[in-house]
């Protein structure tokens, strides 16, 4: 009796059809998360017969390209320009709705408005949250609201609020805490708006996950030309607020040595952490992210995960390219493709373009020129690795490649990126390098 009841509960409630490999092909797909990963998957599934797609998006906005948030902050793009194409009419998108509980036994999602969404296949595309560092004065003993003028830089609302605050306060002074990719982008965007920016980074050099010290030095010089004051090996202890004002407007940032940096705006870009609360509460396997296999399946065969929240083979990618590849791979699985080509992982290329300041199109004496950067793999060589490096100060170009045996293991290119396409393809496919002098790898076509 118990066994029969268990078997009945495990069966799809809508009589889902079977794929060629015997796995159920979902009729009702619910995607929790309306960002880039969720929107991509919904688009790929739209139009498949016998499949309905519902997207639960916590943000009230249409899905947008998060990579371009700094352009909105800089005032280069209005918010509507970075919106992704609207989902097909066959996709049901519920904006401003937050999933609060996963009921795996009943196969349904409970939402914050009291509604319930039943599913045959559930996809977690919940993304990640900004890391809020343990700074003195950031929170009160009884509340969890940030002081006025202090915010993370992760969402479109963050970008719009920060841009509005800088417009209201002429001559705004801002401190950006964190010198990774997002912090560098935010600092440049604020400088473009005429804000006096100080970038405080605890590490030895900017973007240490992607750049070697020489490349980071060139990036630092470029930011200085834009008016950004950069401090590395700089530990922030806390924020000072106005104690007489209930809104606690920020007044300064306190460094570990006691020095105070006056600021009306403080931007926290201290990294991100996968949003795994729903998955953990539902009893799914979670390590740093929601653990998935090569089919993007979690420990529950009816639940999947993609994007920033997914941990695949021990890796968290957190990049738009990986989210797209995972969405495409999962779409094949959910559509019942008999040979869905399991997701092998992503070897992602990081690109960063810092345009010149307002009205600036060339280098000195007219002003700083734009700064183009591409990085992939590990820029730090291991013992026995070969390093190929070329610096051209006149053209503002810098290239550094790390080679292990006959394989490309990492690289950084600044300035002329003519070689990046062929080099990145060789690295992504893990192909053997041609039997030519390594210096040829630095030619415009990558020597390939």
């Amino acid at each position: 009796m118990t066994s029969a009841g268990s078997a009945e509960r495990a069966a799809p409630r809508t009589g889902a059809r079977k794929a060629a490999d015997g796995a159920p092909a979902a009729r009702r797909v619910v995607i929790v998360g309306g960002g880039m990963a969720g929107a991509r998957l919904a688009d790929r599934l739209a139009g498949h017969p016998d499949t309905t797609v519902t997207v639960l998006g916590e943000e009230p906005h249409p899905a947008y390209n998060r990579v371009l948030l700094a352009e909105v902050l800089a005032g280069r793009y209005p918010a509507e320009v970075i919106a992704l194409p609207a989902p097909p009419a066959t996709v049901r998108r519920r904006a401003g709705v937050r999933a609060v509980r996963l009921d795996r036994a009943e196969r349904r999602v409970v939402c914050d408005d009291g509604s319930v969404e039943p599913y045959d296949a559930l996809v977690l595309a919940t993304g990640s949250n900004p890391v809020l560092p343990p700074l003195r004065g950031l929170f009160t003993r009884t509340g969890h609201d940030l002081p006025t003028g202090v915010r993370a830089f992760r969402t479109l609302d963050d970008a719009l609020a920060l841009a509005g605050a800088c417009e209201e306060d002429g001559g705004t002074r801002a401190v950006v805490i964190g010198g990774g990719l997002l912090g560098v982008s935010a600092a440049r965007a604020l400088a473009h708006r005429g804000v006096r920016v100080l970038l405080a980074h605890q590490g030895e050099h900017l973007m240490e996950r992607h750049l070697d010290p020489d490349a980071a030095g060139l990036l630092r010089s470029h930011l200085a030309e834009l008016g950004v004051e950069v401090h590395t090996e700089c530990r922030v202890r806390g924020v000072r607020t106005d104690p007489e004002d209930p809104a606690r407007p920020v007044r300064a940032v306190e460094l570990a040595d006691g020095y105070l940096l006056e600021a009306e705006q403080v931007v926290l870009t201290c990294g991100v952490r996968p949003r795994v609360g729903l998955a953990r509460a539902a009893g799914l396997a979670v390590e740093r992210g929601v653990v998935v296999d090569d089919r993007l399946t979690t420990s529950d065969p009816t639940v999947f995960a993609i994007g920033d929240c997914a941990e695949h083979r021990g890796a968290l990618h957190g990049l738009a390219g990986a989210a797209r590849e995972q969405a495409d791979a999962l779409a094949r699985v959910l559509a019942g493709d008999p040979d869905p080509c399991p997701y092998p992982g992503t070897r992602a290329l990081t690109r960063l373009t810092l345009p010149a300041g307002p009205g600036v199109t060339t280098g000195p004496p007219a002003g700083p020129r734009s700064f183009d950067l591409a990085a992939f793999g590990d820029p730090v060589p291991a013992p026995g690795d070969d390093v190929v490096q070329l610096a051209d100060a006149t053209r503002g170009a810098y290239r550094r490649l790390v080679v292990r045996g006959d394989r490309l293991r990492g690289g950084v290119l600044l300035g002329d990126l003519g070689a990046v396409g062929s080099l990145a393809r060789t690295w992504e496919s893990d192909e053997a390098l041609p039997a030519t002098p390594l210096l040829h790898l630095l030619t415009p076509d990558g020597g390939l």
Side-chain angles (χ1 to χ4, degrees):
M1 201 64 165
T2 303
S3 299
S6 299
E8 182 178 333
R9 167 165 284 184
R13 286 173 165 68
T14 57
R17 55 194 165 85
K18 297 286 184 178
D21 60 358
R27 290 182 182 276
R28 298 175 299 183
V29 177
V30 174
I31 303 171
V32 179
M36 296 177 70
R40 176 83 168 202
L41 177 61
D43 182 71
R44 291 294 182 266
L45 291 176
H48 280 280
D50 301 323
T51 299
T52 63
V53 180
T54 299
V55 179
L56 304 177
E58 187 172 337
E59 294 187 65
H61 312 286
Y64 56 87
N65 187 343
R66 200 179 299 275
V67 176
L68 297 177
L69 281 178
E71 302 306 316
V72 174
L73 175 57
R76 292 180 181 272
Y77 296 160
E80 55 269 21
V81 168
I82 71 169
L84 298 176
T90 54
V91 173
R92 177 170 167 254
R93 188 178 190 277
R94 300 186 62 197
V97 176
R98 182 167 62 91
V100 295
R101 185 166 64 87
L102 309 181
D103 186 342
R104 291 168 51 206
E106 296 295 330
R107 292 190 187 175
R108 62 181 189 168
V109 180
V110 181
C111 303
D112 60 350
D113 62 358
S115 62
V116 173
E117 294 290 344
Y119 66 84
D120 296 308
L122 174 65
V123 181
L124 299 177
T126 50
S128 55
N129 284 326
V131 172
L132 301 181
L135 303 180
R136 295 178 184 175
L138 201 59
F139 301 109
T140 65
R141 292 183 179 179
T142 58
H144 297 284
D145 292 331
L146 293 172
T148 300
V150 179
R151 55 178 49 86
F153 182 53
R154 182 64 181 165
T155 68
L156 181 56
D157 283 338
D158 293 333
L160 294 174
L162 185 55
C166 293
E167 288 177 355
E168 294 170 4
D169 301 329
T172 302
R173 293 168 296 187
V175 174
V176 178
I177 302 176
L181 179 62
L182 195 58
V184 168
S185 299
R188 187 273 303 173
L190 289 169
H192 184 83
R193 300 192 76 98
V195 175
R196 289 177 287 173
V197 185
L198 186 145
L199 177 57
H201 183 53
Q202 187 169 333
E204 293 183 1
H205 62 263
L206 297 174
M207 292 181 61
E208 65 265 24
R209 286 183 56 193
H210 306 286
L211 304 183
D212 65 280
D214 290 340
L218 294 173
L219 174 58
R220 180 172 183 160
S221 297
H222 176 79
L223 290 173
E225 289 178 344
L226 296 178
V228 177
E229 185 178 343
V230 179
H231 292 261
T232 53
E233 299 183 90
C234 174
R235 185 181 174 192
V236 175
R237 175 186 293 170
V239 295
R240 297 283 185 92
T241 60
D242 185 345
E244 305 299 325
D245 191 327
R248 301 194 302 136
V250 67
R251 293 291 179 254
V253 169
E254 180 184 3
L255 302 183
D257 60 6
Y259 189 79
L260 295 180
L261 305 171
E262 294 184 350
E264 289 80 37
Q265 298 294 322
V266 175
V267 185
L268 305 175
T269 56
C270 305
V272 296
R273 185 174 291 117
R275 296 183 65 178
V276 297
L278 277 175
R280 181 175 281 120
L284 297 173
V286 174
E287 293 183 8
R288 290 183 301 158
V290 184
V291 178
V292 297
D293 61 17
D294 289 355
R295 292 170 62 89
L296 287 312
T297 310
T298 69
S299 53
D300 182 329
T302 66
V303 182
F304 306 82
I306 58 174
D308 290 7
C309 71
E311 180 176 341
H312 175 258
R313 299 185 186 178
L316 293 168
H317 292 292
L319 294 171
R324 287 192 294 267
E325 291 182 8
Q326 290 173 0
D328 292 349
L330 182 55
R332 294 190 293 268
V333 172
L334 295 179
D337 189 327
D339 184 19
C341 302
Y343 173 67
T346 298
R347 295 168 69 86
L349 172 73
T350 298
R351 294 288 295 263
L352 176 66
T353 296
L354 301 180
V360 175
T361 57
T362 61
R369 54 198 152 190
S370 63
F371 187 89
D372 296 311
L373 177 153
F376 55 89
D378 189 351
V380 180
D385 288 351
D386 291 312
V387 177
V388 190
Q389 184 168 315
L390 175 66
D392 187 338
T394 303
R395 297 182 178 179
Y398 173 84
R399 300 175 185 176
R400 174 186 172 94
L401 302 177
V402 177
V403 179
R404 185 173 306 157
D406 62 353
R407 295 294 194 274
L408 193 55
R409 285 293 171 248
V412 178
L413 290 83
L414 306 180
D416 181 7
L417 300 185
V420 70
S422 54
L423 289 171
R425 285 191 296 272
T426 300
W427 173 72
E428 288 170 354
S429 61
D430 201 26
E431 296 175 1
L433 294 170
T436 57
L438 293 180
L439 190 61
H440 289 189
L441 297 174
L442 301 181
T443 59
D445 63 356
L448 302 173

